[in-house]
Amino acid sequence: MIHTVTITDTNEKYTCRGKQHLLAGMIQLARKGIPVGCRSGGCGVCKVKIISGDYQTKIMSREHVTEPEEEEGVVLACRVFPLSDISLQVVGHLNKAVTRNQMKNS
Amino acid sequence: MAMTGILRPGHVQLRVMDMEEAVTHYCDNMGLIETDRDDHGRVYLKCWDEQDKFSVVLEPSDRAGMDHMAFKVRTEQDLWRFESNVKNFGIDTKRVAAGELNGCGERIRFTAPSGHTFELYAEKEQVGNGLPTLNPAPWPEDIKGMKAIRFDHCLLYGVDHDENIRLFTEALEFELTEQIVDGDVQVAAFLSCSTKAHDIAFIRSEEPGKLHHASFLLGSWEQVLRAADIISMKDIPLDVGPTRHGLTRGMTIYYFDPSGNRNEVFAEDSYRYPDSPVLTWEASNVGQAIFYHSRQLVDSFMGVTS
């Protein structure tokens, strides 16, 4: 399965194939500034908010994503596996990196 | 007998979010051996060439990071002496009963100025290294994966750096081996309680109590390259390497466990004696100090902790 992911902050789109998590697809944008940390749900650098779409998650650190946050779709991109097309907002570290580079690019 | 007081890092207790994934990583990929489990769901592991029952404790948790790092001291008298040293330094200590960790004697527990919890103990059950003590073979068969030899050290990010280093050097009798300095400010301190290049290292930081990595010894540069092969074969998230550090000269590779705790395996670092000079790296040369070949700092390596 291939799902399209839209970063609403910048209107960029990328795809996630098969068992790729949201961060793996985003890394393939190959844009400078995408903070790739532990890719295991522990370090918290790849925090995003899902606006729409269905997804499965793997366990992620409660130090970085609280239960109420997770219920509102705030998750770590490296632990989210899309089941449909996804729209997301970048938050935290990722927000600064993604939007800063977008400004440079535009 | 030159070695007295604190002998070595005895164990590190790491928080993991999925125990079976963690056990697979540490045992199948890195070559540690499971020696016990307890009622709290903790899993006890050792590297093959360690005599004591465990050097890594995996603790089930909803987050990553280090619960505590413990040092083994030579005698019970040392334990009480260091307890008193830490108290006199102005830090509260607590005694943890023998057996709270399976096979470990009474522990002295305290929180260092850096925000990390440390423990000292004098006794731990010895189970041996899988080789006889009479006419031993050089290595045991059936060790898996990277074949880590021993748990070696941790590098920690913490607050109140100068006071923390004072605790380790004055109360716990570690010695400074290498440092990074930015003018008058010490940015990084590598400390030894032995003839190793470091038994623990601290980076000055604004967040208390963070783990940068837990490190394990390999036998050679070839073994580090073989670890790199395993990291790719097993889809382990790679951080940096294989490369060489300027600091400690170690040849190294960094990667993450399935909960996001960074691990290092390394080989062939330097050694020291109590009369060795302190080695200093200037902040202006920090790239070479950390990654000797590329001289380039890596964002994830510098910024990501658990």
Side-chain angles (χ1 to χ4, degrees), chain B residues 71 118 164-170 172-174 191 202:
Chain B
F71 294 94
F118 292 101
N164 195 56
I165 301 307
R166 205 167 70 76
L167 170 73
F168 270 79
T169 53
E170 292 179 12
L172 300 173
E173 301 173 0
F174 282 67
L191 304 172
F202 289 99

Side-chain angles (χ1 to χ4, degrees), chain A residues 56-90:
Chain A
Q56 281 179 331
T57 59
K58 284 182 76 176
I59 194 162
M60 58 194 95
S61 168
R62 281 283 170 251
E63 189 175 334
H64 300 293
V65 178
T66 62
E67 270 179 71
E69 279 182 317
E70 192 171 344
E71 281 164 23
E72 290 173 12
V74 175
V75 288
L76 301 180
C78 71
R79 303 299 265 185
V80 177
F81 300 86
L83 299 172
S84 72
D85 290 352
I86 295 273
S87 287
L88 62 80
Q89 273 182 338
V90 284

Side-chain angles (χ1 to χ4, degrees), chain B residues 216-275:
Chain B
F216 299 83
L217 180 69
L218 300 184
S220 68
W221 170 235
E222 188 273 338
Q223 292 286 307
V224 175
L225 296 182
R226 195 173 158 279
D229 294 341
I230 291 168
I231 287 165
S232 188
M233 285 157 67
K234 302 284 185 180
D235 275 331
I236 298 169
L238 173 68
D239 192 14
V240 183
T243 184
R244 182 197 282 278
H245 286 308
L247 283 150
T248 77
R249 287 187 223 157
M251 294 190 269
T252 178
I253 188 163
Y254 290 90
Y255 52 93
F256 292 96
D257 82 3
S259 299
N261 297 305
R262 190 187 282 98
N263 299 145
E264 176 190 34
V265 287
F266 78 101
E268 300 179 57
D269 61 338
S270 61
Y271 65 92
R272 64 175 293 278
Y273 286 98
D275 58 350

